[in-house]
Amino acid sequence: QVSMQYNPGWNNSSVNLLHVRAVGPSDTLHYVWSSIGAPAALLVATESRSSALRVNWTQLLSPAPAGAIWIDPPGSVIYSAAVIFTKVFEYNEAQTPEELFYPTYDLSDFSWDNINRTLNHTALTAEFTGIPATDPGGSFSNGSLAFRVTAYEAGGRPSLLHTANSSKVEFVLAGVAPRGNGSRFALEVATVEETGVAQKLRSARSIDDEYTPTIFEVSVGSALSFLQWKATAYGSQTPRREDGIQCRSHGLQAANWTLPMSSIVHAYFGEGVGSAYTVSAINISFGGEDGKVYQEKRYLSWSALLGFGQPPKDTFSPLVISIMAVALGTPMVMLLVGSCVVLFAQRKRYSEYEPIN
């Protein structure tokens, strides 16, 4: 049973906090999405079906938000983590080894629309759309950056194989004017994990190529949670194979820099999040061989799945199974039919003779 609530306990729509609550047979999963500070998702698993999110809004919106978000009862929490979308880089990959980087888009400095207008309680979707608070170059005059969130009540497809223990986030760059002729973009993602839980970056090969033009999957996480994506993005709202944009992940590193301000992360984990918890970061870049896909269509879409436990493993879809059945089954049927015809013909030929006594 999955439900969505916008700004629980707060009537002001100047900030965005979305609480996704998924109640299972004996537990509850909490996803808290927010654009207060840098856009972030807080993941909390509890062993109680009645656990609830509590928010002290006055403290959350103050300069010292530590302790403003908690789960009641606190003893029901068995695991918590967070994913933070911190920055977007734009760079021009020149012929020389050096790369020209333009001023970084710090997502904690963006102005975000009210997500209550996009909240769909039936489809379990919502969209965080924003533009820089200051845009001297006018790159966002006809464009925006968005994070589209989808929750699930059951497993399924299309695209990334999901379960009820996971949610999808789609990063969309639409109509933003590039600042160079061959601009590429990269998204910086930070993760917060409990101390002692080792995070790893893994790459896997998928056996099902029906839904995306790539068979490579990448995931970062531990034995308790994950962030998973396929190594492709798209340059169209109705993607086809020719709209694919290659994704590259540039290493998972311990974040020895100061964690960008994300109010819900500091509000839940406390001000000592960088020392009491493991903070890691990864850059995911998007671009073809010459970066022309975005130049032509001014559209970039990349999806990731985040959730609890291990990421779901791809299996053969019904379409692929049908194709394999036809491809492999038809020769076998023909072979069996041919063998039966030959045996029947041989028996009929010898039956014309009387046995010799």
Side-chain angles (χ1 to χ4, degrees):
Q1 183 181 356
V2 181
S3 61
M4 284 182 164
Q5 188 177 11
Y6 172 70
N7 286 356
W10 185 253
N11 294 325
N12 195 322
S13 60
S14 61
V15 294
N16 292 317
L17 187 146
L18 176 65
H19 177 216
V20 180
R21 186 171 182 263
V23 182
S26 60
D27 56 7
T28 302
L29 305 179
H30 298 270
Y31 294 90
V32 184
W33 300 84
S34 178
S35 58
I36 304 173
L42 177 65
L43 290 73
V44 183
T46 71
E47 55 184 359
S48 169
R49 298 187 76 250
S50 59
S51 61
L53 174 72
R54 305 300 184 195
V55 181
N56 183 329
W57 282 97
T58 303
Q59 187 177 356
L60 177 63
L61 301 178
S62 72
I69 293 179
W70 70 97
I71 298 295
D72 189 24
S76 65
V77 176
I78 56 177
Y79 175 76
S80 56
V83 176
I84 313 163
F85 302 98
T86 54
K87 299 175 183 177
V88 172
F89 302 101
E90 182 181 352
Y91 62 98
N92 196 329
E93 198 167 51
Q95 299 297 325
T96 58
E98 296 82 11
E99 294 176 343
L100 172 63
F101 278 83
Y102 298 96
T104 302
Y105 293 118
D106 190 335
L107 299 184
S108 63
D109 294 331
F110 269 48
S111 175
W112 301 91
D113 293 344
N114 178 6
I115 69 165
N116 201 30
R117 293 194 293 265
T118 65
L119 187 57
N120 188 323
H121 293 274
T122 303
L124 299 175
T125 59
E127 182 172 328
F128 295 82
T129 303
I131 60 174
T134 57
D135 185 22
S139 296
F140 279 78
S141 58
N142 294 313
S144 64
L145 181 151
F147 291 96
R148 296 172 181 167
V149 176
T150 304
Y152 300 109
E153 290 185 310
R157 284 193 181 271
S159 187
L160 288 165
L161 178 65
H162 60 263
T163 67
N165 290 341
S166 59
S167 292
K168 186 181 79 170
V169 58
E170 183 181 2
F171 168 68
V172 178
L173 205 61
V176 178
R179 290 172 284 185
N181 292 329
S183 284
R184 298 187 183 188
F185 295 91
L187 176 65
E188 182 182 74
V189 184
T191 60
V192 178
E193 188 75 81
E194 295 178 350
T195 303
V197 179
Q199 289 188 327
K200 294 182 180 180
L201 180 65
R202 295 183 289 266
S203 181
R205 185 184 293 268
S206 169
I207 61 175
D208 192 343
D209 192 27
E210 175 188 348
Y211 297 94
T212 53
T214 179
I215 57 173
F216 293 102
E217 295 178 354
V218 182
S219 63
V220 56
S222 62
L224 303 175
S225 65
F226 64 89
L227 176 70
Q228 182 189 48
W229 64 93
K230 289 195 174 183
T232 189
Y234 294 103
S236 172
Q237 297 186 45
T238 55
R240 297 168 296 178
R241 289 183 178 270
E242 55 266 31
D243 299 318
I245 300 175
Q246 182 184 12
C247 299
R248 289 182 295 177
S249 53
H250 299 269
L252 179 67
Q253 299 180 352
N256 54 8
W257 34 260
T258 303
L259 185 68
M261 186 62 180
S262 176
S263 290
I264 66 166
V265 174
H266 287 89
Y268 182 82
F269 291 104
E271 294 298 339
V273 62
S275 57
Y277 297 86
T278 302
V279 181
S280 304
I282 187 171
N283 288 340
I284 302 166
S285 63
F286 315 99
E289 293 299 323
D290 52 8
K292 287 185 178 180
V293 176
Y294 184 82
Q295 292 282 345
E296 295 173 354
K297 300 190 177 180
R298 299 281 179 93
Y299 188 87
L300 170 67
S301 170
W302 171 79
S303 298
L305 199 70
L306 67 161
F308 298 90
Q310 293 295 311
K313 293 183 179 180
D314 247 334
T315 57
F316 287 111
S317 68
L319 176 60
V320 174
I321 292 175
S322 301
I323 294 174
M324 292 178 62
V326 172
L328 299 177
T330 301
M332 292 297 296
V333 171
M334 294 177 65
L335 181 62
L336 289 173
V337 171
S339 300
C340 292
V341 170
V342 170
L343 290 174
F344 180 77
Q346 289 179 341
R347 288 187 60 186
K348 185 176 181 180
R349 183 179 61 186
Y350 287 119
S351 63
E352 296 175 356
Y353 299 91
E354 293 292 334
I356 300 176
N357 189 346

